[in-house]
Every structure is written in C-alpha cells, then in structure tokens.
Amino acid sequence: MTQTQLAGLLPELEVIRADFPILERTVAGGLPLVYLDSANTSQKPQVVIDTMVDHLERHNANIARAMHTLGAESTEAYEGARDKVAAFLNAPSRNEVVFTKNATEALNLLARTIELGPGDNVVITEMEHHSNIVSWQLACERSGAELRWFGLTDDGQLDLSAADRLVDERTKVVAFTWVSNMLGTINPVTDLVARAKAVGAYSVIDASQAAPQLPVDVAATGCDFLVFTGHKVVGPTGIGVLWGREDLLNELPPFHGGGEMIETVTMARSTYAAAPHRFEAGTPPIAEAIGLGAAVDYLGHIGMDAIHRHEQTITAYALEGLATVPGVTVLGPLDAAQRGGAISFELDGVHPHDVAQVLDSRGIAVRAGHHCAKPAHARFGVQSSTRMSSYLYTTPAEIDALVEGLEYTRSYFKLG
Amino acid sequence: MMSDLDSLYQEIILDHYKNPHHAGLRDPYEAEVHHVNPTCGDEVTLRVHVSDGVVADVSYDAVGCSISQASASVLTDLVIGKPVDEAMSIHETFLTLMQGKGTVEPDEDVLEDGIAFAGVAKFPARVKCALLSWMAWKDATARSLEETHG
Ligand SMILES: Cc1ncc(COP(=O)(O)O)c(C=O)c1O
C-alpha cells in the first residue's frame, strides 16, 4: 500500500503499527481492520501485553503484605508503575498518584469525598462525559448543593461569557474536560483553573481524552485534581488514575474502607494511611497498574509532542476528507489545531447506526450513538452522531478508507 | 448469496424506513409511553388506543436508525385492527424471531413484512433497535387495558 506522506506524521509509522498486534487482524471476511475508535478505547502495544503476561507468569503475588520474594517483586513493580505515571504527569510527588478502576471511579471518588452543603455550588460544562456529570449530580442531590453549567458556543467552544456569574464565592468545585470526547474541543485549562483558584474552589480536570494525545503537565496546569483512564493511553482496562495535590488528598476523608488504606484498626475506631494508599482500599488491579506503567513508558518513549503532532496531522487530513463527502456535517471546531483527534459528524439522510453498520461491513470500526455526552448532543440539536477517532497508529490511508466508506454508505442508502 | 449487509437491510426495511406507516401521534388513546435505547439514545413515544378488546390505533413519534423506524412501521401494520390477544401473540412471534440469533424460520402468514427482520437477528447489536417500538407497544397496551378495566 502506498502511504500518503504528510508532514507531521510520526516517522516510522509502519514500525509503530507493527507494535500493535491487533492491527494485523482481518475482519468482515478478510478485510484489513481500520480501527477508528481509539477515543473509545485504544489498542495495546506488544510491550504492554508482554509486561502483563510476564508479571502473571513470573512475579505474581499480592503487594505490600507478602513477606517473600514474589511479594517484594510484585510490590516493586506496582510502585514502579506509580513512579512512571508520576513522571508521565510531571507530578511533584509520587504520593499524588492514586490508582483507581478508571476515570469514572476517580471522578466519583472526588464527588463522594469533597464536602458540599446547601448554598454551595459545583460548576461543570455542557460538553462533559456522563461520568463528569452524573457523579456531581449525585453529590449535589445528596448535599443540597447547586449544579451549574458552562454553556457552549455554536462553534463548539466553552461559552465563558457568563463565567464571572457562574463561578462565585460559593463555588466549591469547577470540573471540566480538557479535551471533549464528542466535539474534540480543547478547553482553556489554565484559564479555568485560575477562575476556580480566584474563588477558592477546587479545580478538577478530566484528562481522559487529553492524556492520550497531549503532553499533560499537572504542575503547569496549576490544577488541584486531574483524572484519566488507562485503557485510552494504550494501557489495559480496569485501571485509572486520580492525581491530586498531596496536601489536598490528605485532607479528604477516605472513600472505600478496607485493607491497605488504614494506619491502624481497633474495634473502637481506625486511623487512615496517607495518600495514595488512603484511597486504595483492598487488593488493587496489580497487573493492570503494571501494564499502565509500561503503556505510559511506551508513549513517553515516542514522545507526547510527536504524538500530538501526528494526531493533529491526521485530524486535519480527516477534516479535509470529510468535507468532500456530500451531506457530512462535522460537530465541533473545524480547525485541527484547536481540537483533538475525535471527530463526530452527521451524514444527512443516514442514521449513525446505519453508517457504522455499513462501515463495519468494510472493516472500518467507528462509534455511533451519543458517546456518553447526551447534553452536548442536545445542545447541537442532534440525537446521536457517528464518531471517528484516530491515534498514534492511524494512517492517512485509513482516513481514505473511511471517506470511501462514507461515499459507499451514501450510495447504499441511495442518496445519489 | 446475499451479503450479510443486504440480509440486514432488506428492501422491505428500507421502504418502511423511507415511508413509515401510521407515523405521528394521534388521539384518542388511553396510554402513552416513552422508551429509549440507552446504548444509542434511540427514542420512541408511542400511543395505544384499545376499543372493545381490539387494538384500534397505534401512533408514534420515533427518532432512530432505519431498523428501529422500519420496525415501528411494520408493528403498526401488524397490530392495528387485531384483537389484543392476537396482537400479543404476534408480538411473541416477533420476539422469538428477534431473539433466535438467526436460527428461527420466520412465519410469513403471521409476520408479513416482519419477516424482513430475520436478518437483523444475526446482528446482536441491532436486535434492540428492532425491538424498541415493540416493547413500547406491549407496555402501552398493558396500560391501556388497565385504564379501561380499572
Ligand atoms: C472525556 C471522558 N471522560 C471520562 C471517560 C470515562 O472513562 P472510563 O469509562 O474509562 O471511566 C471517558 C471515556 O469514555 C471520556 O472520554
């Protein structure tokens, strides 16, 4: 296959693709897989798979409580993964990295432990993933606090015109996504963090879509808390991260009670360990954490700046290609420099389910539906959309296949 | 042999999708329900009017894919004018077909255009689309009967 050469693509893209064994498989009766659903979950490189298998084959033991060789090896690997994640985030301290099940659990942990009361308010945005909506809705229902929303402009940016009214002295939390999983919008995180800080509110960044494709530097953002999920950064499922400023983490009450999170337990009462173990009750997903460590190492080795450039290049190429298909309307910013690599669109006359089905028959995997962002869809008056999302292994030829697939979809549904 | 895609998107299904029968919401009715498919967000609002033990009218407003829209259209063709008992038994037959993973031979005498959905049963992700309005109809009919009897 001849590859379109575009400035900004990762050099040695073919070598990177060879790291991902799944990209070799065929689907739909022998067609090559064109995987354009990485915002949903990314594929895994061999090194992540091997690291997890090696752990299970040779080093498996529980951590922190086994006084034997395997226990020591396992603990070292698990805590080593924490160091790797701390480096990936440029965290000032490894104690600030809490392993969770996923981003959703990390957000729920915060929504459960940050104290709210009647008269307080929490400000989120209309472009949040349901995990950063429902967790705060529940917290507000429990506490009597008010939930407020940043609206969106017609071109898919946050509408900050009412910011001074929304974020006030009773605001306890400002929680927002760095990169939208539906619109692709990249939000002005330092501005939002500064607004939270100015009123003494906690800032919470959902970096689930940012961590895969942008350099994330928690210190540079100035935020209080940041979450992401392992499976979107070429790591396994079942592992996510809550990063928080160490002093703040140690002020929060515990989330789950159990083993590993205590200092001492008596029948009268218990005292709790400091972060991160305070929030890691019970046996954690050990192999998954170690796999995540290998994943962020892998991304770091390629370089997040280079990955970001690749994503922008592919995104620009995809936006150009989509613009050639009659009836396609892209939701969200049209300038690739201002957005991430997830592009949601409508194809006039064909429902997203049907688009995805026809594409699947050609080996092309995209997502159809509301992408867990119903309020953002409602904002733009659409019930659902089709979403293509690229990653560091995506080639221009795969975008060509998508564009051809959409042309075919139109002809299949007799749209001329 | 027909491709999988063509067995899913039978001509009959595409016809019902383009020209849905009995679409829109009408009076009178005893029960109105709103059902959604939580995975994809497809929605239907559906009204049922039962008179003298007969399904006198089924009207609906649906947003969704070709399969869910066509299925609502076929449903109304099959149940309007039928005694409730018979309509419920058609519902059972359609349900069995859809849950059969492609192994159930459809009965054209009972299901008429509904047999076109036999191909959908082979696509587990789409079975819910085909059943959305049927489940809404069963729910609304049960409520209509409660309304009229209770
Ligand atoms: C922006 C955003 N936040 C949160 C999540 C939730 O991730 P997880 O389901 O792994 O908890 C996702 C993933 O779909 C996402 O895209």
Side-chain angles (χ1 to χ4, degrees), chain A residues 39-41 101-107 127-132 177-182 206-210 227-232 237-240 367 371-372 387:
Chain A
N40 203 351
T41 198
K101 186 171 71 172
N102 47 32
T104 303
E105 191 185 48
L107 290 166
M127 68 167 86
E128 295 313 305
H129 184 275
H130 292 167
S131 57
N132 203 23
T177 192
W178 188 331
V179 177
S180 159
N181 68 318
M182 180 217 165
D206 177 0
S208 299
Q209 295 292 343
V227 310
F228 71 97
T229 197
H231 65 95
K232 297 191 207 269
T237 55
I239 187 80
R367 184 159 175 191
H371 325 312
C372 298
R387 182 182 73 184

Side-chain angles (χ1 to χ4, degrees), chain A residues 129-340:
Chain A
H129 184 275
H130 292 167
S131 57
N132 203 23
I133 297 176
V134 183
S135 42
W136 298 110
Q137 281 176 331
L138 289 169
C140 289
E141 278 165 24
R142 264 195 313 271
S143 62
E146 181 195 352
L147 188 61
R148 297 179 174 180
W149 305 72
F150 279 114
L152 308 181
T153 62
D154 289 342
D155 58 351
Q157 306 285 350
L158 277 188
D159 180 356
L160 296 175
S161 60
D164 291 336
R165 191 168 45 75
L166 287 170
V167 181
D168 62 20
E169 69 287 351
R170 293 306 303 270
T171 303
K172 280 283 159 68
V173 178
V174 182
F176 51 89
T177 192
W178 188 331
V179 177
S180 159
N181 68 318
M182 180 217 165
L183 300 165
T185 318
I186 301 178
N187 286 319
V189 287
T190 44
D191 179 33
L192 291 162
V193 167
R195 285 174 189 278
K197 193 159 283 182
V199 298
Y202 293 125
S203 49
V204 176
I205 300 180
D206 177 0
S208 299
Q209 295 292 343
Q213 52 178 321
L214 299 174
V216 170
D217 179 335
V218 287
T221 65
C223 70
D224 296 321
F225 301 102
L226 179 143
V227 310
F228 71 97
T229 197
H231 65 95
K232 297 191 207 269
V233 291
V234 309
T237 55
I239 187 80
V241 170
L242 163 65
W243 172 86
R245 275 175 39 202
E246 195 165 1
D247 52 332
L248 298 181
L249 285 176
N250 285 324
E251 282 167 16
L252 293 180
F255 176 44
H256 292 146
E260 238 58 82
M261 54 75 72
I262 47 97
E263 200 171 61
T264 183
V265 175
T266 66
M267 286 173 70
R269 66 181 301 270
S270 305
T271 54
Y272 311 113
H277 298 108
R278 183 192 201 77
F279 299 106
E280 293 180 0
T283 300
I286 301 168
E288 287 76 5
I290 294 168
L292 176 59
V296 297
D297 252 9
Y298 176 83
L299 295 181
H301 179 70
I302 293 167
M304 289 310 297
D305 285 312
I307 291 171
H308 184 209
R309 217 173 307 122
H310 180 82
E311 281 282 84
Q312 285 199 323
T313 307
I314 289 286
T315 303
Y317 187 71
L319 287 169
E320 266 173 46
L322 289 171
T324 66
V325 183
V328 164
T329 311
V330 169
L331 301 156
L334 294 175
D335 175 4
Q338 286 186 33
R339 60 172 300 147

Side-chain angles (χ1 to χ4, degrees), chain A residues 349-351 353-355 357-358 360-361 367-371 374 383-384 408 412-415, chain B residues 5-6 8-9 11 14 17-18 37-43 63-67 123 126 129:
Chain A
V350 192
H351 188 276
H353 258 180
D354 298 319
V355 174
Q357 191 86 58
V358 176
D360 186 53
S361 76
R367 184 159 175 191
H370 52 63
H371 325 312
K374 280 192 113 175
Q383 186 234 2
S384 61
Y408 176 75
Y412 192 86
F413 284 95
K414 302 193 174 58
L415 296 171
Chain B
L5 200 62
D6 291 340
L8 175 67
Y9 294 117
E11 217 43 64
L14 295 179
Y17 174 48
K18 295 235 155 104
N37 179 347
T39 24
C40 62
D42 282 3
E43 300 184 29
V63 239
C65 63
S66 57
I67 305 296
F123 292 83
R126 304 306 293 276
C129 309

